[in-house]
Amino acid sequence: VSIFLLGIDQASELKEIYLDGTLLENLNGIGLAKNLQILYASKNKFGCQFIPDELFNLSALTDLNLAESMLTGTLSQKIIQLSNLQRINLTGNLLSGELLSQFGQLKALKKLEISNNKWTGTIPSSWTKMTALETLSLENTEEKTSGITGPLISFETMPDLRELYLSNNLLTGTISSNF
C-alpha cells in the first residue's frame, strides 16, 4: 500500500498519526507534519529502508513507534533533534551498528525499546544521563549474534527505571545494590 502524505503540511493542527499494520511502504512526506507529537507506524513493510532523515525534523514528537516494520541500516545521530521524545519503540527491525551515545542527550526519554535488532558494541556511558528513563529494553533473541557486549553502565542515575530487559547479550559486571 502506498500512502502519500501530500498536503500534510496544511494540517497544522495534526498531532497524532496511527498507521500500525497498514502495510505502509514508506514515510515520505512525514517531515512536513511539523506539529506531530505521536507517530505509530509499527508492523508495516518498509522493505529494508532506512528511517528517513525527514522524520528527525519532527521536533514536537514525543512518541515514536516503528516496531516490527522491516527497517534497516544504522540509526541516525540526528535522533538528538527529537529533544521532546519520551517514548521510542524500534523493536524487531533490522537496525544495526553501535548503540548511539546521543540517546544520553534525550533528557525527557522514559521508554527506550530497541530490542531484537542487530546492535553491536557496548552500552554507551552517556546513557547514564537518561535520568527520566523508566524502561530500557535491549533484549537480543537472535541466537546467531552476541548482541551487546562489555560492561553494564551504572543505573544509579536512573531513579525512575522500573523495567530493564537485557536478555541474551554478553554483558559483564554487576548491578549495583543501590539500584
Side-chain angles (χ1 to χ4, degrees):
V1 174
S2 290
I3 296 175
F4 296 97
L5 301 171
L6 297 174
I8 199 167
D9 56 326
Q10 301 301 312
S12 60
E13 296 301 313
L14 183 63
K15 305 275 191 238
E16 303 177 14
I17 297 178
Y18 299 90
L19 296 167
D20 296 319
T22 57
L23 303 177
L24 188 65
E25 294 177 356
N26 64 60
L27 289 168
N28 295 342
I30 196 66
L32 298 174
K34 296 295 182 194
N35 292 315
L36 195 63
Q37 295 174 354
I38 298 173
L39 173 59
Y40 279 41
S42 68
K43 298 183 180 175
N44 281 296
K45 305 283 187 243
F46 293 124
C48 297
Q49 296 179 45
F50 291 176
I51 297 173
D53 276 350
E54 66 180 293
L55 184 129
F56 302 112
N57 295 331
L58 300 174
S59 59
L61 205 62
T62 60
D63 289 58
L64 175 62
N65 187 340
L66 299 175
E68 300 176 30
S69 290
M70 296 178 63
L71 292 164
T72 192
T74 58
L75 191 55
S76 173
Q77 294 180 5
K78 293 180 181 181
I79 192 83
I80 60 170
Q81 294 173 205
L82 301 178
S83 59
N84 292 309
L85 203 59
Q86 295 177 18
R87 286 168 287 283
I88 183 168
N89 188 343
L90 301 173
T91 298
N93 282 294
L94 302 170
L95 299 170
S96 60
E98 304 245 338
L99 296 170
L100 292 180
S101 62
Q102 286 80 0
F103 277 120
Q105 296 177 40
L106 298 177
K107 304 296 184 203
L109 198 60
K110 294 179 181 182
K111 283 190 166 202
L112 177 57
E113 298 173 293
I114 56 175
S115 291
N116 302 327
N117 281 287
K118 297 182 180 300
W119 305 119
T120 58
T122 61
I123 300 174
S125 61
S126 63
W127 284 22
T128 60
K129 296 176 185 171
M130 293 187 289
T131 56
L133 203 63
E134 297 171 359
T135 302
L136 175 58
S137 182
L138 268 175
E139 291 178 289
N140 174 30
T141 58
E142 180 62 47
E143 294 179 10
K144 296 177 183 156
T145 67
S146 59
I148 304 304
T149 59
L152 287 170
I153 58 172
S154 171
F155 298 105
E156 294 174 3
T157 59
M158 302 173 184
D160 297 328
L161 189 63
R162 300 292 178 262
E163 297 179 53
L164 180 62
Y165 304 95
L166 301 172
S167 300
N168 299 314
N169 288 293
L170 294 177
L171 296 165
T172 60
T174 59
I175 295 177
S176 169
S177 60
N178 294 338
F179 173 58

